[in-house]
């Protein structure tokens, strides 16, 4: 039976057969009988990475084993366990994930495959840096791989968007925490230069840092921002030191909002309210882990607010010295009149050896853009050029539109990646709509 798949942005739908293997044997069987396959987790990548038109989508959600957390915080998890499920068990025992994206609704397999980053990349790196080993099933067999055991395949798989095989389990080192709170410092900036200078100078003193940027205001206040930075609260920092599991979201968006609800007018009004309601300067506010890390998880199916046409998340990173590119991109966007509802700026620390891993030392900006305005494709093409000129790249986990020649320039180690993929997937069975579009399947 054919099933419709999209990413979280709900653009670029395609149809494929769904299978949900619950053992290595079943995955091996799928590779023996099917041609075009791609693993899938909870479908939180925005574009077309976890789907393959006319092929087989292998859900990892039945891979559900979960071992005990040992005294050093080491745990082995089935690839289909979500960060939400992990935190439900681990927080009450005093452990947090070392890296979390902006939602808990991602699987461990998806987190490794995209080598996800959080608000702490500048100090802790991306997800792959905390993986001790993993089990990978490929068309040529199954392997335990780690940074020391077949490191080549390990780093080809970390960030490879599922294109080397199906990860079945991951051994991870968690982060010890004393409470379920973080201490947050908030500061408002009227200019982009102001917030960027503060992040460059001050982020090193915090484990977590993120700035919300207003991309709708023009002129002197273009890029005005709210910067929030935090560290985990210790027992003595809070009135009541609790270790509570995250709560499930109670609010659901029940239907698709009318297309055009998020337009320049409504987004401008929202941004104004958001900016003014935030404190100008506040230190040491205690917030729950959920409020700080996963505010969007409070509303289920929030992507429906963008209407049936969906939305694009455009996320790029550029080297540190290219901070002017961030300014130019926001200038291009704010002058285009295309509404960006959420714009998030973070700092990245050193890259890891992942051949297709996204982060590079410097800046990353993520923009949520509703599909609809006729100028949007042209604006995004312009942003691609600015990013390329700066030696930057865009994030494959968010992409649904990049051209292959641009992807090659942004990810210069594609040929090294394809050579390793050839070793484990000589018939080029592992493919996806993203891989076909960007020529990442094989030669
Ligand atoms: C609200 C929101 C906020 C986000 N914030 C961030 C953020 O801050 N930082 C960040 O880095 N990302 C962020 N993301 C993106 C998200 O973390 C990644 O796209 C992640 O990969 C999604 O995991 P998933 O389980 O949904 O995987 P899917 O979206 O289903 O799949 C993603 C990729 O992983 C591959 N894959 C999945 N499971 C396996 C497996 N078992 N073996 C091999 N490959 C596999 C798929 O083939 C696909 O290429 C965010 C997404 C949302 C919706």
């Amino acid at each position: 039976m054919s099933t419709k798949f999209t990413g979280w942005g709900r653009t670029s739908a395609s149809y494929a057969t769904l299978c949900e293997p619950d053992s290595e044997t079943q995955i091996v069987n799928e590779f023996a009988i099917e041609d075009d396959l791609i693993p899938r987790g909870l479908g939180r990548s925005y574009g077309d990475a976890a789907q393959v038109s006319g092929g087989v989508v292998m859900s990892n959600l039945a891979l559900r084993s979960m071992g005990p957390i040992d005294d050093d915080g080491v745990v082995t998890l089935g690839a289909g366990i979500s960060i939400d499920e992990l935190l439900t068990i681990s927080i009450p025992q005093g452990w947090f994930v070392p890296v979390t994206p902006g939602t808990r609704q991602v699987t461990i397999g998806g987190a490794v495959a995209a080598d996800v980053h959080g608000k702490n990349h500048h100090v802790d790196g991306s997800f792959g840096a905390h993986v001790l080993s993993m089990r990978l099933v490929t068309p040529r067999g199954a392997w335990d791989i780690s940074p020391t055991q077949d490191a080549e395949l390990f780093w080809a798989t970390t960030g490879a968007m599922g294109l080397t095989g199906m990860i079945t389990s991951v051994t991870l080192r968690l982060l010890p925490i004393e409470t379920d709170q973080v201490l947050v410092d908030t500061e408002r900036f009227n200019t982009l230069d102001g917030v960027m200078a503060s992040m460059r100078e001050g982020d090193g003193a915090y484990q977590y840092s993120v700035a919300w940027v207003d991309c709708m205001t023009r002129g002197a206040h273009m890029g005005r921002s709210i910067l929030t930075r935090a560290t985990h609260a210790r027992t003595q920092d809070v009135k009541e030191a609790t270790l509570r599991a995250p709560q499930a979201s109670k609010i659901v968006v029940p239907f698709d909002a009318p297309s055009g609800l998020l337009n320049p007018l409504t987004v401008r009004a929202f941004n104004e309210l958001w900016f003014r309601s935030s404190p100008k300067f506040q230190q040491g506010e205690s917030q729950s882990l959920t409020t700080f890390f996963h505010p969007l998880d409070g509303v289920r199916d929030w992507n429906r607010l963008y209407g049936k046409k969906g939305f694009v998340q455009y996320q790029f990173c550029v080297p540190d010295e290219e901070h002017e590119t961030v300014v130019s991109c926001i200038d291009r966007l704010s002058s285009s009149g295309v509404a960006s509802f959420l714009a998030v700026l973070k700092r990245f620390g050193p890259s890891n050896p992942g051949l297709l891993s996204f982060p590079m030392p410097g800046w990353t900006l993520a923009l949520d853009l509703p599909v609809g305005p006729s100028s949007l494709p042209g604006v995004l093409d312009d942003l691609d050029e600015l990013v390329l000129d700066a030696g930057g790249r865009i994030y494959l986990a968010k992409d649904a539109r990049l051209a292959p020649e641009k992807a090659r320039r942004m990810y210069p180690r594609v040929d090294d990646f394809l050579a390793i993929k050839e070793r484990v997937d000589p018939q080029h069975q592992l493919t996806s709509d993203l891989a076909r579009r960007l020529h990442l399947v094989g030669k």
Side-chain angles (χ1 to χ4, degrees):
M1 203 186 75
S2 197
T3 305
K4 182 179 174 183
F5 292 95
T6 70
W8 188 245
R10 304 206 301 159
T11 59
S12 321
S14 71
Y15 289 82
T17 304
L18 173 66
C19 74
E20 200 167 296
D22 62 6
S23 68
E24 199 168 298
T25 314
Q26 280 187 27
I27 300 167
V28 169
N29 287 344
E30 290 296 328
F31 283 132
I33 57 174
E34 300 290 351
D35 282 338
D36 294 342
L37 307 103
I38 192 69
R40 184 177 175 98
L42 280 164
R44 263 27 180 222
S45 48
Y46 282 72
D48 53 2
Q51 58 195 59
V52 54
S53 180
V56 176
V57 168
M58 273 194 297
S59 167
N60 70 18
L61 296 182
L63 302 168
R64 305 202 45 78
S65 58
M66 186 161 170
I69 303 172
D70 78 10
D71 293 347
D72 294 323
V74 175
V75 62
T76 300
L77 303 160
I81 297 288
S82 67
I83 288 185
D84 184 55
E85 291 166 322
L86 169 60
L87 292 179
T88 301
I89 306 279
S90 72
I91 292 178
Q93 296 181 45
W95 298 102
F96 193 60
V97 266
V99 170
T100 177
T103 172
R104 298 188 300 277
Q105 303 304 333
V106 307
T107 62
I108 297 298
V112 176
D115 192 22
V116 298
H117 57 271
K119 298 172 181 178
N120 55 342
H121 192 279
H122 61 293
V123 284
D124 294 322
S126 50
F127 204 82
H130 307 273
V131 172
L132 302 180
S133 64
M134 61 177 136
R135 180 91 177 149
L136 179 72
V137 185
T138 78
R140 283 302 279 275
W143 282 279
D144 291 313
I145 54 176
S146 75
T148 52
Q149 189 174 344
D150 202 343
E152 195 181 55
L153 186 54
F154 179 87
W155 290 116
T157 298
T158 303
M161 306 308 294
L163 294 171
T164 58
M166 180 88 155
I167 301 161
T168 54
S169 70
V170 175
T171 299
L172 188 67
R173 191 189 300 279
L174 302 175
L175 178 78
I177 48 170
E178 293 182 22
T179 74
D180 55 18
Q181 309 279 308
V182 282
L183 299 179
V184 185
D185 291 354
T186 304
E187 199 171 349
R188 239 164 63 176
F189 291 86
N190 282 321
T191 64
L192 193 57
D193 282 346
V195 75
M196 291 179 90
S198 178
M199 289 171 85
R200 197 183 292 105
E201 282 152 27
D203 272 10
Y206 295 87
Q207 188 163 10
Y208 302 102
S209 168
V210 63
W212 169 85
V213 182
D214 178 0
C215 287
M216 298 303 289
T217 300
R218 302 226 59 209
H221 292 167
M222 187 192 84
R224 63 185 180 167
S225 305
I226 301 165
L227 175 61
T228 48
R229 298 190 280 203
T231 44
H232 286 279
R234 291 158 308 164
T235 315
Q236 65 266 33
D237 297 327
V238 288
K239 280 199 204 108
E240 199 193 346
T242 49
L243 282 167
R244 284 167 297 211
Q247 298 294 303
S249 58
K250 294 194 178 75
I251 308 167
V252 184
V253 177
F255 47 76
D256 295 330
S259 283
L261 174 74
L262 297 176
N263 59 48
L265 212 66
T266 53
V267 172
R268 207 167 274 129
F270 171 85
N271 285 0
E272 188 64 32
L273 199 71
W274 190 254
F275 189 75
R276 292 200 180 281
S277 62
S278 149
K280 272 189 184 153
F281 184 75
Q282 179 175 270
Q283 280 187 312
E285 185 201 4
S286 170
Q287 285 185 10
S288 72
L289 295 170
T290 314
T291 305
F292 183 73
F293 289 104
H294 309 120
L296 292 168
D297 285 351
V299 181
R300 224 168 68 212
D301 298 335
W302 61 261
N303 54 347
R304 302 184 91 172
L305 290 172
Y306 283 87
K308 279 205 170 70
K309 288 185 187 159
F311 68 111
V312 172
Q313 182 163 112
Y314 187 89
Q315 181 172 2
F316 67 86
C317 60
V318 288
D320 209 11
E321 62 278 11
E322 297 291 344
H323 63 275
E324 277 304 325
T325 304
V326 177
V327 181
S328 307
C329 286
I330 292 178
D331 188 27
R332 176 71 188 93
L333 199 69
S334 61
S335 62
S336 73
V338 170
S340 172
F341 187 51
L342 274 178
V344 170
L345 182 67
K346 294 182 225 169
R347 302 257 312 142
F348 277 162
S351 314
N352 66 27
L355 294 176
L356 297 185
S357 180
F358 168 64
M360 62 169 66
W363 300 97
T364 181
L365 182 72
L367 306 156
D368 277 3
L369 305 156
V371 169
S374 56
S375 56
L376 182 62
V379 172
L380 296 182
D381 287 346
D382 289 352
L383 297 192
D384 287 348
E385 292 304 328
L386 289 167
V387 171
L388 269 170
D389 284 350
R393 57 172 76 115
I394 73 162
Y395 191 10
L396 300 181
K398 310 283 176 81
D399 179 52
R401 49 158 293 283
L402 191 66
E405 60 282 3
K406 289 181 181 169
R408 283 249 154 196
R409 288 164 62 200
M410 290 177 179
Y411 288 89
R413 292 183 291 173
V414 164
D415 283 335
D416 297 344
F417 167 74
L418 290 177
I420 297 167
K421 178 167 157 53
E422 192 77 23
R423 165 154 82 82
V424 294
D425 179 25
Q427 307 294 325
H428 311 149
Q429 288 169 266
L430 285 152
T431 183
S432 61
D433 291 350
L434 173 125
R436 287 171 177 165
R437 181 167 53 79
L438 299 182
H439 305 173
L440 298 174
V441 183
K443 291 180 184 164

